[in-house]
Amino acid sequence: MNELGRHILAEIYGCDAEILNDKELIERNMVESALKAGAEVREVAFHKFSPQGVSGVVIISESHLTIHTWPELGYAAVDVFTCGDRINPWDACNYLTELLKAKNMTATEVKRGIFEHPVSVKASNI
Protein backbone atom coordinates (compact mmCIF):
# COMPACT_ATOMS: atom_id res chain seq x y z
CA MET A 1 0.00 0.00 0.00
CA ASN A 2 1.46 3.33 -1.08
CA GLU A 3 -1.28 5.45 0.44
CA LEU A 4 -2.25 6.24 4.01
CA GLY A 5 -5.95 5.91 3.35
CA ARG A 6 -8.86 5.57 0.95
CA HIS A 7 -11.64 8.13 0.71
CA ILE A 8 -14.94 7.26 -0.96
CA LEU A 9 -17.06 10.23 -2.12
CA ALA A 10 -20.54 8.86 -2.77
CA GLU A 11 -23.58 10.38 -4.44
CA ILE A 12 -26.58 8.32 -3.31
CA TYR A 13 -29.85 8.90 -5.22
CA GLY A 14 -33.42 7.65 -5.06
CA CYS A 15 -33.33 7.15 -1.30
CA ASP A 16 -36.35 6.78 0.94
CA ALA A 17 -37.22 10.37 2.01
CA GLU A 18 -38.51 9.30 5.42
CA ILE A 19 -35.23 7.56 6.21
CA LEU A 20 -33.23 10.60 5.07
CA ASN A 21 -35.18 12.85 7.41
CA ASP A 22 -34.96 10.62 10.51
CA LYS A 23 -31.94 11.66 12.58
CA GLU A 24 -31.95 8.62 14.85
CA LEU A 25 -32.30 6.20 11.92
CA ILE A 26 -29.55 7.92 9.91
CA GLU A 27 -27.26 7.79 12.94
CA ARG A 28 -28.01 4.09 13.49
CA ASN A 29 -27.48 3.31 9.78
CA MET A 30 -24.15 5.14 9.71
CA VAL A 31 -22.89 3.35 12.83
CA GLU A 32 -24.08 -0.02 11.48
CA SER A 33 -22.29 0.66 8.18
CA ALA A 34 -19.05 1.44 10.00
CA LEU A 35 -19.36 -1.72 12.08
CA LYS A 36 -20.26 -3.82 9.03
CA ALA A 37 -16.93 -2.76 7.48
CA GLY A 38 -15.11 -3.81 10.66
CA ALA A 39 -14.36 -0.29 11.90
CA GLU A 40 -14.08 0.69 15.54
CA VAL A 41 -16.59 3.45 16.37
CA ARG A 42 -15.29 6.19 18.69
CA GLU A 43 -17.83 9.05 18.61
CA VAL A 44 -20.97 10.14 16.78
CA ALA A 45 -22.56 13.55 16.24
CA PHE A 46 -25.73 14.19 14.22
CA HIS A 47 -27.98 17.19 13.64
CA LYS A 48 -31.55 17.44 12.32
CA PHE A 49 -32.27 20.54 10.24
CA SER A 50 -35.59 22.36 10.04
CA PRO A 51 -37.66 21.80 8.04
CA GLN A 52 -35.72 18.75 6.79
CA GLY A 53 -32.36 17.09 6.36
CA VAL A 54 -29.75 15.47 8.56
CA SER A 55 -25.98 15.88 8.79
CA GLY A 56 -23.66 13.76 10.83
CA VAL A 57 -20.31 12.20 11.43
CA VAL A 58 -19.17 8.87 12.81
CA ILE A 59 -15.60 9.06 14.05
CA ILE A 60 -13.87 5.70 13.77
CA SER A 61 -10.40 4.65 14.84
CA GLU A 62 -9.61 4.34 11.14
CA SER A 63 -10.91 7.90 10.29
CA HIS A 64 -14.58 8.86 9.65
CA LEU A 65 -17.92 8.55 7.85
CA THR A 66 -20.01 11.64 7.10
CA ILE A 67 -23.44 12.26 5.59
CA HIS A 68 -25.64 15.17 4.57
CA THR A 69 -29.18 14.43 3.37
CA TRP A 70 -31.72 16.18 1.17
CA PRO A 71 -34.95 14.23 1.83
CA GLU A 72 -36.93 16.39 -0.62
CA LEU A 73 -34.58 15.19 -3.39
CA GLY A 74 -34.08 11.61 -2.15
CA TYR A 75 -30.35 12.36 -2.11
CA ALA A 76 -27.48 11.84 0.32
CA ALA A 77 -23.86 12.99 0.04
CA VAL A 78 -21.64 10.51 1.87
CA ASP A 79 -17.91 10.34 2.60
CA VAL A 80 -16.22 7.22 3.93
CA PHE A 81 -12.54 7.72 4.78
CA THR A 82 -10.49 4.84 6.17
CA CYS A 83 -6.80 4.72 6.97
CA GLY A 84 -4.67 1.61 6.75
CA ASP A 85 -5.54 -1.53 4.85
CA ARG A 86 -7.61 -3.42 7.45
CA ILE A 87 -10.95 -1.75 6.57
CA ASN A 88 -12.50 -1.59 3.10
CA PRO A 89 -14.47 1.70 2.83
CA TRP A 90 -16.57 0.24 0.00
CA ASP A 91 -18.12 -2.24 2.46
CA ALA A 92 -19.49 0.63 4.57
CA CYS A 93 -20.57 2.66 1.53
CA ASN A 94 -22.39 -0.20 -0.18
CA TYR A 95 -24.12 -1.30 3.03
CA LEU A 96 -25.29 2.27 3.74
CA THR A 97 -26.66 2.51 0.20
CA GLU A 98 -28.79 -0.58 0.92
CA LEU A 99 -29.99 0.81 4.26
CA LEU A 100 -31.09 4.06 2.59
CA LYS A 101 -33.11 2.00 0.07
CA ALA A 102 -31.34 3.86 -2.72
CA LYS A 103 -32.04 3.31 -6.38
CA ASN A 104 -28.60 4.48 -7.53
CA MET A 105 -25.16 5.25 -6.16
CA THR A 106 -22.14 6.68 -7.91
CA ALA A 107 -18.85 7.07 -6.12
CA THR A 108 -15.25 8.02 -6.57
CA GLU A 109 -12.33 6.68 -4.58
CA VAL A 110 -9.50 9.05 -3.75
CA LYS A 111 -6.19 7.74 -2.43
CA ARG A 112 -5.07 9.90 0.50
CA GLY A 113 -1.50 10.48 1.65
CA ILE A 114 0.31 8.92 -1.29
CA PHE A 115 4.03 8.64 -0.57
CA GLU A 116 6.39 7.36 -3.24
CA HIS A 117 9.57 7.75 -1.19
CA PRO A 118 10.53 9.42 2.05
CA VAL A 119 10.88 13.17 1.60
CA SER A 120 11.66 16.11 3.78
CA VAL A 121 9.07 18.84 3.36
CA LYS A 122 9.67 22.38 4.47
CA ALA A 123 6.59 24.40 5.37
CA SER A 124 6.06 27.48 3.25
CA ASN A 125 3.56 30.28 2.98
CA ILE A 126 1.46 29.67 -0.08
Side-chain angles (χ1 to χ4, degrees):
M1 178 173 88
N2 291 337
E3 71 270 1
L4 295 176
R6 300 164 64 194
H7 196 161
I8 307 299
L9 306 170
E11 308 289 314
I12 306 178
Y13 300 97
C15 303
D16 182 301
E18 288 186 25
I19 293 172
L20 292 182
N21 207 36
D22 185 327
K23 180 179 124 242
E24 287 75 25
L25 186 53
I26 289 292
E27 180 176 328
R28 187 167 58 246
N29 288 347
M30 292 285 286
V31 169
E32 285 180 21
S33 296
L35 295 173
K36 178 84 167 174
E40 183 178 327
V41 174
R42 293 295 184 167
E43 293 183 44
V44 297
F46 285 80
H47 177 77
K48 170 81 167 67
F49 292 96
S50 180
Q52 58 198 359
V54 175
S55 283
V57 61
V58 175
I59 304 297
I60 57 177
S61 294
E62 301 79 9
S63 195
H64 68 268
L65 290 78
T66 63
I67 190 168
H68 187 77
T69 72
W70 283 262
E72 70 278 19
L73 301 175
Y75 169 74
V78 173
D79 289 6
V80 180
F81 183 16
T82 61
C83 297
D85 56 5
R86 190 179 70 79
I87 304 296
N88 183 347
W90 288 103
D91 293 342
C93 189
N94 290 330
Y95 187 62
L96 181 61
T97 300
E98 290 177 31
L99 293 176
L100 297 177
K101 299 183 181 175
K103 291 183 174 63
N104 186 34
M105 185 266 287
T106 60
T108 301
E109 179 173 330
V110 177
K111 306 292 186 198
R112 304 298 302 267
I114 298 174
F115 292 96
E116 296 299 322
H117 5 63
V119 294
S120 175
V121 178
K122 189 180 224 181
S124 64
N125 293 332
I126 297 177

